[in-house]
Amino acid sequence: MSFDLAVWEGSRPLTNEAGLEEFKRLYAKYLEEGVSEEPSARVKAFIAAITEKYPDIVDLPEDQVDDGVWSDSPLMSNASGPLFYVCVRWSRAEDVAPFVADVAREQGLICFDPQSGELR
């Protein structure tokens, strides 16, 4: 089980409902339709920033993979264009999700929790 977050470029939606609609639109366009785009420079920089603290599973030594915080890997495969969809191990969500949201905010990106339908 994982705790998922979406991070994207753009103007911050004014409401959670508008955030949900924008998330659905971006997810359908960049991840569901099977037409993957090169992740934007800002999304790549975001992934680089979060993996400084919590390395991608593919970058961990084999004996540390089970201690990684991400549910899947490589993280870059969950990025397309302006959108990044990240899955955090449920047991680590409490400490990792706020970190992801903080880094997104610092970098001028939007962070959205699709489980609750709330902007972070």
Side-chain angles (χ1 to χ4, degrees):
M1 182 173 218
S2 67
F3 181 85
D4 303 348
L5 292 169
V7 175
W8 68 80
E9 292 181 45
S11 299
R12 184 169 176 83
L14 297 177
T15 64
N16 289 327
E17 293 77 19
L20 178 60
E21 290 306 311
E22 182 65 358
F23 164 69
K24 288 179 180 179
R25 183 187 75 75
L26 291 168
Y27 192 90
K29 180 176 180 178
Y30 291 102
L31 296 175
E32 275 186 337
E33 294 177 2
V35 180
S36 183
E37 289 186 17
E38 178 75 16
S40 71
R42 290 180 71 195
V43 167
K44 286 181 181 179
F46 172 78
I47 294 170
I50 63 172
T51 56
E52 281 183 32
K53 182 170 183 174
Y54 298 113
D56 197 330
I57 295 170
V58 297
D59 297 326
L60 291 173
E62 192 171 316
D63 64 333
Q64 293 179 17
V65 168
D66 291 339
D67 297 326
V69 302
W70 313 114
S71 293
D72 62 349
S73 187
L75 292 179
M76 200 61 74
S77 68
N78 296 330
S80 180
L83 177 64
F84 175 55
Y85 194 83
V86 63
C87 303
V88 178
R89 290 183 188 210
W90 189 259
S91 63
R92 297 298 307 273
E94 198 170 297
D95 56 318
V96 176
F99 169 74
V100 169
D102 288 346
V103 173
R105 185 174 36 260
E106 288 167 7
Q107 294 192 3
L109 300 170
I110 309 307
C111 185
F112 183 77
D113 175 350
Q115 287 100 175
S116 68
E118 295 179 349
L119 294 156
R120 304 248 349 193

